[in-house]
Amino acid sequence: MKTITEVLEWALAQKGTKAVDHNYYGEWCAQFVNEALGNIFPTDIKASCTRQVDYAKRQGWQTHSKANGSVGDILYYEGLDSIVGDYDHVGIIVEVYDNYYVTVEGNTSGVNWRSTKVNTFTVSKDSNVIGAIITPPYTVSPAYVKPSTKHASGVYSIKDVSTFYPRVQEIQHMLNVVINAGLTEDGYFGKLTSTAVTCYQQQRRLEIDGVVGRETLSNLVFDYFKI
């Protein structure tokens, strides 16, 4: 399994590619997600959205209500065809806003699937086609410190960790790229990292609290992948 940033970076870099570019077969959205995640689904499951959801639930991966998805979560659609109880499309959430998500998806279109491409899409958080939102077991480098843990020298200023648990080291890296923060990427959310977050929030006219909450994280990830 990969880190969140590795998955998003790879997936977004595939925009414009087709199924044939990846040796995918059939309606290939599920295979695209599987490859993005580092081929974590068994062979007999990787090409089926419904089987992926069932497998993820059996493995105990974290699930969310449709309004509580976060960057890096996998969003499964249902109700796009006539099969009841079937998940028929999937994408990776790359941006989160108050009322909608932006996803990157291996596009499918029935018999025309060979000519469709990876692209980004928007979906309303209250959409009836959102069937499941699941957080994969992203890899944590030994250098990362889980933000839900109290550090010997201080407390991490990250809230809502049960929903999106971003890694401090990844945040430091994105701040270094986006605003040239000059942080040591050590996974410790100390004064310098908090100050860098505040500076970023000032630049983006966000709520200035030094906390990497849902809105700050979404904007930071978006800015990072624009560069």
Side-chain angles (χ1 to χ4, degrees):
M1 186 56 198
K2 305 175 181 178
T3 65
I4 292 175
T5 51
E6 286 173 333
V7 169
L8 297 185
E9 192 166 40
W10 183 87
L12 289 170
Q14 308 312 308
K15 287 180 65 175
T17 61
K18 300 180 180 180
V20 66
D21 298 318
H22 300 269
N23 294 317
Y24 297 145
Y25 54 89
E27 296 187 352
W28 48 279
C29 55
Q31 297 164 76
F32 171 74
V33 166
N34 182 53
E35 185 174 4
L37 294 176
N39 298 305
I40 64 173
F41 291 104
T43 301
D44 61 336
I45 289 174
K46 67 178 184 180
S48 168
C49 294
T50 298
R51 289 185 177 183
Q52 284 188 4
V53 172
D54 290 343
Y55 177 83
K57 290 181 178 179
R58 290 199 306 271
Q59 297 300 310
W61 298 357
Q62 190 175 19
T63 60
H64 311 280
S65 65
K66 64 183 181 180
N68 290 313
S70 299
V71 172
D73 285 349
I74 311 304
L75 188 154
Y76 291 90
Y77 299 83
E78 64 178 350
L80 299 180
D81 58 26
S82 58
I83 302 176
V84 178
D86 182 54
Y87 296 96
D88 36 36
H89 191 51
V90 61
I92 303 170
I93 298 176
V94 295
E95 298 173 46
V96 178
Y97 295 91
D98 287 343
N99 300 313
Y100 65 94
Y101 303 114
V102 177
T103 62
V104 59
E105 303 171 5
N107 197 8
T108 62
S109 181
V111 296
N112 297 317
W113 63 266
R114 290 183 182 277
S115 61
T116 57
K117 301 177 181 179
V118 175
N119 209 340
T120 50
F121 299 87
T122 60
V123 56
S124 173
K125 287 184 177 181
D126 62 1
S127 174
N128 290 330
V129 300
I130 297 178
I133 296 179
I134 296 173
T135 301
Y138 286 109
T139 293
V140 183
S141 163
Y144 294 161
V145 180
K146 292 183 180 180
S148 57
T149 303
K150 187 171 181 178
H151 191 277
S153 301
V155 180
Y156 291 104
S157 295
I158 294 183
K159 60 184 179 181
D160 210 10
V161 294
S162 63
T163 302
F164 58 77
Y165 58 93
R167 310 306 181 192
V168 176
Q169 193 178 46
E170 293 183 66
I171 290 169
Q172 290 168 328
H173 175 69
M174 288 189 285
L175 287 167
N176 285 340
V177 172
V178 173
I179 64 170
N180 194 27
L183 298 171
T184 300
E185 296 174 18
D186 57 5
Y188 168 54
F189 200 105
K191 273 189 176 181
L192 293 178
T193 300
S194 180
T195 298
V197 171
T198 298
C199 290
Y200 173 74
Q201 290 171 329
Q202 289 174 329
Q203 291 183 17
R204 292 288 269 132
R205 297 184 179 179
L206 302 170
E207 179 184 359
I208 301 171
D209 57 6
V211 172
V212 184
R214 203 175 281 276
E215 186 177 15
T216 296
L217 179 63
S218 296
N219 279 274
L220 182 59
V221 171
F222 178 74
D223 289 341
Y224 174 75
F225 285 111
K226 281 198 308 184
I227 296 175

